[in-house]
Amino acid sequence: ITAAKKREELGRDLKGTVTEVLVEVGDEVKAGDELLVVNPTETREELQTAQNELVDAQRAVNEAQAEVTRAQGVLNTAQNQLGKLNITAPFTGKIIPATDSEGNSTTYRVGQQVSEGEVIGYMVDDSEMSLSLFFSSAYINDIQSGQSATVSIPSAMSEISGTVSSVEKTERVSSDGVKVFRVVISMDNPGTLTKGMTATATVSAGSAGTVYPAGSGTLEYSREEAVTAQMSGEITSMNGIDYYSYSSGATIMRLSSDAAQDEVKSAQSAVTAARNG
């Protein structure tokens, strides 16, 4: 029995209607020659169906991913809110307690409720003090930043060396009808100066000599910022708020909030459901 050296079936997976026959039985053909033309109607329908299913599947994936992203965003927001229950120092300094309408220092204790926006105290940097004074406009071109100054504090009966930190060239008229401009003087705090102390200063203004101000001023902290509760909650722990020193970012007070905890748990469940969906 003889047989062809090589035999191959054609059109095994081909579906459709033959529209043209290009060869006859017994014709000699070469590799790549066309034999039949088939209209693959059924295959096209299957392809279109598959493409439609792919589009639907991709849409479902995108919607699922969008839901996960949305749920994760809600969770992040809830966690950020939870983080606001820790009241921290905005910068390195000393915290001064807030006072009520009668000037009494506000006190806090564990278990007490704190409202959102409530001022817990004021963080101050009292390592350096500043003093704003007005000088006659006649010296507006003589006084410059960096010049030395001598600050006098009558209540402490002391003098402290300072430096001109800024000069405002804008002129204004004093209550005495004199044109003046503002000069800010900075000085290191030896530990005895507080905000509100009355003080005056003279400036060594080069060729103009020693220049005296038009009046006195009051000492200010070099930096002061209100420390407020970002969320309502119950105090679970706290450190001192009566002139205690803190490093930037250190925790002053911790609060708890059942509502905030519930929001985080709900958001976590939503993320899990979105991922499993």
Side-chain angles (χ1 to χ4, degrees), residues 22-48:
L22 302 177
V23 295
E24 295 182 357
V25 176
D27 287 349
E28 184 176 341
V29 296
K30 299 186 298 296
D33 286 350
E34 290 187 359
L35 308 179
L36 299 173
V37 177
V38 178
N39 183 9
T41 304
E42 186 178 348
T43 302
R44 285 198 182 98
E45 292 176 352
E46 291 178 352
L47 176 60
Q48 185 62 49

PDB file of all heavy atoms in Angstrom, residues 22-48:
ATOM      1  N   LEU A  22     -10.990  27.476  -6.155  1.00  0.00           N
ATOM      2  CA  LEU A  22      -9.929  27.940  -7.047  1.00  0.00           C
ATOM      3  C   LEU A  22      -9.121  26.813  -7.675  1.00  0.00           C
ATOM      4  O   LEU A  22      -8.294  27.074  -8.565  1.00  0.00           O
ATOM      5  CB  LEU A  22      -8.991  28.880  -6.268  1.00  0.00           C
ATOM      6  CG  LEU A  22      -9.675  30.119  -5.626  1.00  0.00           C
ATOM      7  CD1 LEU A  22      -8.662  30.926  -4.818  1.00  0.00           C
ATOM      8  CD2 LEU A  22     -10.323  30.975  -6.687  1.00  0.00           C
ATOM      9  N   VAL A  23      -9.304  25.563  -7.252  1.00  0.00           N
ATOM     10  CA  VAL A  23      -8.547  24.421  -7.807  1.00  0.00           C
ATOM     11  C   VAL A  23      -9.497  23.247  -7.997  1.00  0.00           C
ATOM     12  O   VAL A  23     -10.604  23.231  -7.448  1.00  0.00           O
ATOM     13  CB  VAL A  23      -7.378  24.027  -6.883  1.00  0.00           C
ATOM     14  CG1 VAL A  23      -6.336  25.127  -6.797  1.00  0.00           C
ATOM     15  CG2 VAL A  23      -7.902  23.655  -5.495  1.00  0.00           C
ATOM     16  N   GLU A  24      -9.056  22.272  -8.769  1.00  0.00           N
ATOM     17  CA  GLU A  24      -9.794  21.027  -8.948  1.00  0.00           C
ATOM     18  C   GLU A  24      -8.968  19.871  -8.428  1.00  0.00           C
ATOM     19  O   GLU A  24      -7.746  19.983  -8.255  1.00  0.00           O
ATOM     20  CB  GLU A  24     -10.125  20.818 -10.424  1.00  0.00           C
ATOM     21  CG  GLU A  24     -11.069  21.875 -10.988  1.00  0.00           C
ATOM     22  CD  GLU A  24     -11.399  21.607 -12.439  1.00  0.00           C
ATOM     23  OE1 GLU A  24     -10.850  20.642 -12.999  1.00  0.00           O
ATOM     24  OE2 GLU A  24     -12.209  22.378 -12.999  1.00  0.00           O
ATOM     25  N   VAL A  25      -9.639  18.751  -8.244  1.00  0.00           N
ATOM     26  CA  VAL A  25      -8.935  17.558  -7.763  1.00  0.00           C
ATOM     27  C   VAL A  25      -7.855  17.185  -8.765  1.00  0.00           C
ATOM     28  O   VAL A  25      -8.098  17.100  -9.976  1.00  0.00           O
ATOM     29  CB  VAL A  25      -9.923  16.390  -7.575  1.00  0.00           C
ATOM     30  CG1 VAL A  25      -9.170  15.137  -7.166  1.00  0.00           C
ATOM     31  CG2 VAL A  25     -10.967  16.751  -6.527  1.00  0.00           C
ATOM     32  N   GLY A  26      -6.677  16.967  -8.248  1.00  0.00           N
ATOM     33  CA  GLY A  26      -5.560  16.556  -9.099  1.00  0.00           C
ATOM     34  C   GLY A  26      -4.667  17.696  -9.511  1.00  0.00           C
ATOM     35  O   GLY A  26      -3.568  17.468 -10.034  1.00  0.00           O
ATOM     36  N   ASP A  27      -5.132  18.956  -9.274  1.00  0.00           N
ATOM     37  CA  ASP A  27      -4.274  20.092  -9.630  1.00  0.00           C
ATOM     38  C   ASP A  27      -3.045  20.135  -8.724  1.00  0.00           C
ATOM     39  O   ASP A  27      -3.101  19.767  -7.544  1.00  0.00           O
ATOM     40  CB  ASP A  27      -5.044  21.399  -9.486  1.00  0.00           C
ATOM     41  CG  ASP A  27      -6.069  21.588 -10.603  1.00  0.00           C
ATOM     42  OD1 ASP A  27      -6.017  20.812 -11.562  1.00  0.00           O
ATOM     43  OD2 ASP A  27      -6.906  22.516 -10.489  1.00  0.00           O
ATOM     44  N   GLU A  28      -1.959  20.565  -9.327  1.00  0.00           N
ATOM     45  CA  GLU A  28      -0.719  20.709  -8.563  1.00  0.00           C
ATOM     46  C   GLU A  28      -0.683  22.124  -7.980  1.00  0.00           C
ATOM     47  O   GLU A  28      -0.903  23.099  -8.691  1.00  0.00           O
ATOM     48  CB  GLU A  28       0.487  20.469  -9.466  1.00  0.00           C
ATOM     49  CG  GLU A  28       1.814  20.503  -8.712  1.00  0.00           C
ATOM     50  CD  GLU A  28       2.980  20.159  -9.595  1.00  0.00           C
ATOM     51  OE1 GLU A  28       2.771  19.563 -10.666  1.00  0.00           O
ATOM     52  OE2 GLU A  28       4.115  20.478  -9.200  1.00  0.00           O
ATOM     53  N   VAL A  29      -0.395  22.216  -6.725  1.00  0.00           N
ATOM     54  CA  VAL A  29      -0.352  23.519  -6.059  1.00  0.00           C
ATOM     55  C   VAL A  29       0.957  23.672  -5.286  1.00  0.00           C
ATOM     56  O   VAL A  29       1.631  22.672  -5.006  1.00  0.00           O
ATOM     57  CB  VAL A  29      -1.533  23.686  -5.075  1.00  0.00           C
ATOM     58  CG1 VAL A  29      -2.872  23.681  -5.816  1.00  0.00           C
ATOM     59  CG2 VAL A  29      -1.525  22.584  -4.012  1.00  0.00           C
ATOM     60  N   LYS A  30       1.247  24.904  -4.973  1.00  0.00           N
ATOM     61  CA  LYS A  30       2.459  25.207  -4.191  1.00  0.00           C
ATOM     62  C   LYS A  30       2.025  25.756  -2.830  1.00  0.00           C
ATOM     63  O   LYS A  30       0.910  26.235  -2.647  1.00  0.00           O
ATOM     64  CB  LYS A  30       3.313  26.255  -4.914  1.00  0.00           C
ATOM     65  CG  LYS A  30       3.795  25.806  -6.294  1.00  0.00           C
ATOM     66  CD  LYS A  30       4.742  26.808  -6.885  1.00  0.00           C
ATOM     67  CE  LYS A  30       4.091  28.159  -7.103  1.00  0.00           C
ATOM     68  NZ  LYS A  30       3.007  28.123  -8.091  1.00  0.00           N
ATOM     69  N   ALA A  31       2.970  25.700  -1.922  1.00  0.00           N
ATOM     70  CA  ALA A  31       2.695  26.223  -0.581  1.00  0.00           C
ATOM     71  C   ALA A  31       2.290  27.687  -0.667  1.00  0.00           C
ATOM     72  O   ALA A  31       2.949  28.482  -1.343  1.00  0.00           O
ATOM     73  CB  ALA A  31       3.927  26.078   0.313  1.00  0.00           C
ATOM     74  N   GLY A  32       1.193  28.023  -0.035  1.00  0.00           N
ATOM     75  CA  GLY A  32       0.724  29.401  -0.022  1.00  0.00           C
ATOM     76  C   GLY A  32      -0.341  29.702  -1.037  1.00  0.00           C
ATOM     77  O   GLY A  32      -0.962  30.775  -0.991  1.00  0.00           O
ATOM     78  N   ASP A  33      -0.585  28.754  -1.995  1.00  0.00           N
ATOM     79  CA  ASP A  33      -1.625  28.986  -2.992  1.00  0.00           C
ATOM     80  C   ASP A  33      -3.004  28.921  -2.340  1.00  0.00           C
ATOM     81  O   ASP A  33      -3.253  28.120  -1.434  1.00  0.00           O
ATOM     82  CB  ASP A  33      -1.552  27.921  -4.101  1.00  0.00           C
ATOM     83  CG  ASP A  33      -0.366  28.152  -5.025  1.00  0.00           C
ATOM     84  OD1 ASP A  33       0.266  29.238  -4.905  1.00  0.00           O
ATOM     85  OD2 ASP A  33      -0.054  27.262  -5.834  1.00  0.00           O
ATOM     86  N   GLU A  34      -3.911  29.794  -2.807  1.00  0.00           N
ATOM     87  CA  GLU A  34      -5.283  29.769  -2.318  1.00  0.00           C
ATOM     88  C   GLU A  34      -6.044  28.622  -2.966  1.00  0.00           C
ATOM     89  O   GLU A  34      -5.945  28.405  -4.177  1.00  0.00           O
ATOM     90  CB  GLU A  34      -5.986  31.092  -2.638  1.00  0.00           C
ATOM     91  CG  GLU A  34      -5.458  32.264  -1.819  1.00  0.00           C
ATOM     92  CD  GLU A  34      -6.295  33.509  -2.032  1.00  0.00           C
ATOM     93  OE1 GLU A  34      -7.254  33.457  -2.830  1.00  0.00           O
ATOM     94  OE2 GLU A  34      -6.000  34.533  -1.390  1.00  0.00           O
ATOM     95  N   LEU A  35      -6.803  27.872  -2.184  1.00  0.00           N
ATOM     96  CA  LEU A  35      -7.566  26.736  -2.678  1.00  0.00           C
ATOM     97  C   LEU A  35      -9.063  27.044  -2.705  1.00  0.00           C
ATOM     98  O   LEU A  35      -9.755  26.739  -3.667  1.00  0.00           O
ATOM     99  CB  LEU A  35      -7.306  25.502  -1.811  1.00  0.00           C
ATOM    100  CG  LEU A  35      -5.831  25.132  -1.582  1.00  0.00           C
ATOM    101  CD1 LEU A  35      -5.736  23.910  -0.696  1.00  0.00           C
ATOM    102  CD2 LEU A  35      -5.118  24.909  -2.910  1.00  0.00           C
ATOM    103  N   LEU A  36      -9.524  27.612  -1.591  1.00  0.00           N
ATOM    104  CA  LEU A  36     -10.946  27.918  -1.460  1.00  0.00           C
ATOM    105  C   LEU A  36     -11.099  29.303  -0.826  1.00  0.00           C
ATOM    106  O   LEU A  36     -10.217  29.769  -0.095  1.00  0.00           O
ATOM    107  CB  LEU A  36     -11.649  26.891  -0.566  1.00  0.00           C
ATOM    108  CG  LEU A  36     -11.658  25.423  -1.004  1.00  0.00           C
ATOM    109  CD1 LEU A  36     -12.253  24.584   0.122  1.00  0.00           C
ATOM    110  CD2 LEU A  36     -12.447  25.250  -2.286  1.00  0.00           C
ATOM    111  N   VAL A  37     -12.239  29.906  -1.079  1.00  0.00           N
ATOM    112  CA  VAL A  37     -12.614  31.145  -0.392  1.00  0.00           C
ATOM    113  C   VAL A  37     -13.862  30.843   0.415  1.00  0.00           C
ATOM    114  O   VAL A  37     -14.853  30.346  -0.128  1.00  0.00           O
ATOM    115  CB  VAL A  37     -12.879  32.282  -1.395  1.00  0.00           C
ATOM    116  CG1 VAL A  37     -13.332  33.527  -0.646  1.00  0.00           C
ATOM    117  CG2 VAL A  37     -11.638  32.572  -2.227  1.00  0.00           C
ATOM    118  N   VAL A  38     -13.786  31.094   1.728  1.00  0.00           N
ATOM    119  CA  VAL A  38     -14.879  30.782   2.641  1.00  0.00           C
ATOM    120  C   VAL A  38     -15.351  32.075   3.308  1.00  0.00           C
ATOM    121  O   VAL A  38     -14.538  32.884   3.769  1.00  0.00           O
ATOM    122  CB  VAL A  38     -14.437  29.762   3.705  1.00  0.00           C
ATOM    123  CG1 VAL A  38     -15.587  29.485   4.674  1.00  0.00           C
ATOM    124  CG2 VAL A  38     -13.960  28.474   3.034  1.00  0.00           C
ATOM    125  N   ASN A  39     -16.647  32.255   3.342  1.00  0.00           N
ATOM    126  CA  ASN A  39     -17.231  33.386   4.066  1.00  0.00           C
ATOM    127  C   ASN A  39     -17.492  32.943   5.507  1.00  0.00           C
ATOM    128  O   ASN A  39     -18.451  32.206   5.770  1.00  0.00           O
ATOM    129  CB  ASN A  39     -18.530  33.808   3.399  1.00  0.00           C
ATOM    130  CG  ASN A  39     -19.150  35.038   4.073  1.00  0.00           C
ATOM    131  OD1 ASN A  39     -18.522  35.659   4.924  1.00  0.00           O
ATOM    132  ND2 ASN A  39     -20.382  35.357   3.688  1.00  0.00           N
ATOM    133  N   PRO A  40     -16.650  33.386   6.474  1.00  0.00           N
ATOM    134  CA  PRO A  40     -16.750  32.872   7.860  1.00  0.00           C
ATOM    135  C   PRO A  40     -17.826  33.606   8.664  1.00  0.00           C
ATOM    136  O   PRO A  40     -17.532  34.239   9.685  1.00  0.00           O
ATOM    137  CB  PRO A  40     -15.357  33.144   8.404  1.00  0.00           C
ATOM    138  CG  PRO A  40     -14.931  34.388   7.706  1.00  0.00           C
ATOM    139  CD  PRO A  40     -15.536  34.332   6.323  1.00  0.00           C
ATOM    140  N   THR A  41     -19.077  33.517   8.214  1.00  0.00           N
ATOM    141  CA  THR A  41     -20.157  34.252   8.889  1.00  0.00           C
ATOM    142  C   THR A  41     -20.270  33.862  10.358  1.00  0.00           C
ATOM    143  O   THR A  41     -20.342  34.713  11.255  1.00  0.00           O
ATOM    144  CB  THR A  41     -21.491  33.972   8.186  1.00  0.00           C
ATOM    145  OG1 THR A  41     -21.367  34.324   6.796  1.00  0.00           O
ATOM    146  CG2 THR A  41     -22.612  34.798   8.815  1.00  0.00           C
ATOM    147  N   GLU A  42     -20.292  32.591  10.624  1.00  0.00           N
ATOM    148  CA  GLU A  42     -20.444  32.107  12.006  1.00  0.00           C
ATOM    149  C   GLU A  42     -19.263  32.523  12.873  1.00  0.00           C
ATOM    150  O   GLU A  42     -19.435  32.920  14.022  1.00  0.00           O
ATOM    151  CB  GLU A  42     -20.590  30.583  11.995  1.00  0.00           C
ATOM    152  CG  GLU A  42     -20.895  29.999  13.370  1.00  0.00           C
ATOM    153  CD  GLU A  42     -21.089  28.492  13.304  1.00  0.00           C
ATOM    154  OE1 GLU A  42     -21.204  27.945  12.185  1.00  0.00           O
ATOM    155  OE2 GLU A  42     -21.122  27.878  14.387  1.00  0.00           O
ATOM    156  N   THR A  43     -18.070  32.467  12.267  1.00  0.00           N
ATOM    157  CA  THR A  43     -16.876  32.861  13.023  1.00  0.00           C
ATOM    158  C   THR A  43     -16.911  34.343  13.358  1.00  0.00           C
ATOM    159  O   THR A  43     -16.531  34.766  14.455  1.00  0.00           O
ATOM    160  CB  THR A  43     -15.610  32.544  12.216  1.00  0.00           C
ATOM    161  OG1 THR A  43     -15.589  31.150  11.913  1.00  0.00           O
ATOM    162  CG2 THR A  43     -14.369  32.899  13.000  1.00  0.00           C
ATOM    163  N   ARG A  44     -17.380  35.136  12.402  1.00  0.00           N
ATOM    164  CA  ARG A  44     -17.482  36.570  12.666  1.00  0.00           C
ATOM    165  C   ARG A  44     -18.458  36.847  13.809  1.00  0.00           C
ATOM    166  O   ARG A  44     -18.225  37.712  14.657  1.00  0.00           O
ATOM    167  CB  ARG A  44     -17.953  37.303  11.405  1.00  0.00           C
ATOM    168  CG  ARG A  44     -16.883  37.459  10.323  1.00  0.00           C
ATOM    169  CD  ARG A  44     -17.287  38.539   9.333  1.00  0.00           C
ATOM    170  NE  ARG A  44     -16.307  38.678   8.279  1.00  0.00           N
ATOM    171  CZ  ARG A  44     -16.403  38.114   7.070  1.00  0.00           C
ATOM    172  NH1 ARG A  44     -17.465  37.342   6.793  1.00  0.00           N
ATOM    173  NH2 ARG A  44     -15.475  38.295   6.153  1.00  0.00           N
ATOM    174  N   GLU A  45     -19.557  36.116  13.801  1.00  0.00           N
ATOM    175  CA  GLU A  45     -20.539  36.296  14.866  1.00  0.00           C
ATOM    176  C   GLU A  45     -19.943  35.912  16.212  1.00  0.00           C
ATOM    177  O   GLU A  45     -20.160  36.603  17.222  1.00  0.00           O
ATOM    178  CB  GLU A  45     -21.784  35.463  14.577  1.00  0.00           C
ATOM    179  CG  GLU A  45     -22.579  35.950  13.362  1.00  0.00           C
ATOM    180  CD  GLU A  45     -23.752  35.041  13.039  1.00  0.00           C
ATOM    181  OE1 GLU A  45     -23.849  33.966  13.661  1.00  0.00           O
ATOM    182  OE2 GLU A  45     -24.576  35.409  12.173  1.00  0.00           O
ATOM    183  N   GLU A  46     -19.194  34.813  16.213  1.00  0.00           N
ATOM    184  CA  GLU A  46     -18.547  34.382  17.456  1.00  0.00           C
ATOM    185  C   GLU A  46     -17.526  35.423  17.915  1.00  0.00           C
ATOM    186  O   GLU A  46     -17.395  35.711  19.115  1.00  0.00           O
ATOM    187  CB  GLU A  46     -17.882  33.030  17.265  1.00  0.00           C
ATOM    188  CG  GLU A  46     -18.869  31.885  17.068  1.00  0.00           C
ATOM    189  CD  GLU A  46     -18.164  30.562  16.825  1.00  0.00           C
ATOM    190  OE1 GLU A  46     -16.921  30.586  16.666  1.00  0.00           O
ATOM    191  OE2 GLU A  46     -18.842  29.529  16.797  1.00  0.00           O
ATOM    192  N   LEU A  47     -16.784  35.986  16.942  1.00  0.00           N
ATOM    193  CA  LEU A  47     -15.786  37.013  17.278  1.00  0.00           C
ATOM    194  C   LEU A  47     -16.462  38.255  17.843  1.00  0.00           C
ATOM    195  O   LEU A  47     -15.992  38.819  18.841  1.00  0.00           O
ATOM    196  CB  LEU A  47     -14.968  37.368  16.024  1.00  0.00           C
ATOM    197  CG  LEU A  47     -13.946  38.505  16.188  1.00  0.00           C
ATOM    198  CD1 LEU A  47     -12.923  38.143  17.251  1.00  0.00           C
ATOM    199  CD2 LEU A  47     -13.263  38.803  14.856  1.00  0.00           C
ATOM    200  N   GLN A  48     -17.573  38.685  17.216  1.00  0.00           N
ATOM    201  CA  GLN A  48     -18.273  39.864  17.691  1.00  0.00           C
ATOM    202  C   GLN A  48     -18.833  39.648  19.090  1.00  0.00           C
ATOM    203  O   GLN A  48     -18.761  40.525  19.953  1.00  0.00           O
ATOM    204  CB  GLN A  48     -19.407  40.224  16.722  1.00  0.00           C
ATOM    205  CG  GLN A  48     -20.128  41.530  17.065  1.00  0.00           C
ATOM    206  CD  GLN A  48     -19.190  42.717  17.014  1.00  0.00           C
ATOM    207  OE1 GLN A  48     -18.454  42.887  16.034  1.00  0.00           O
ATOM    208  NE2 GLN A  48     -19.183  43.526  18.061  1.00  0.00           N
TER     209      GLN A  48
END
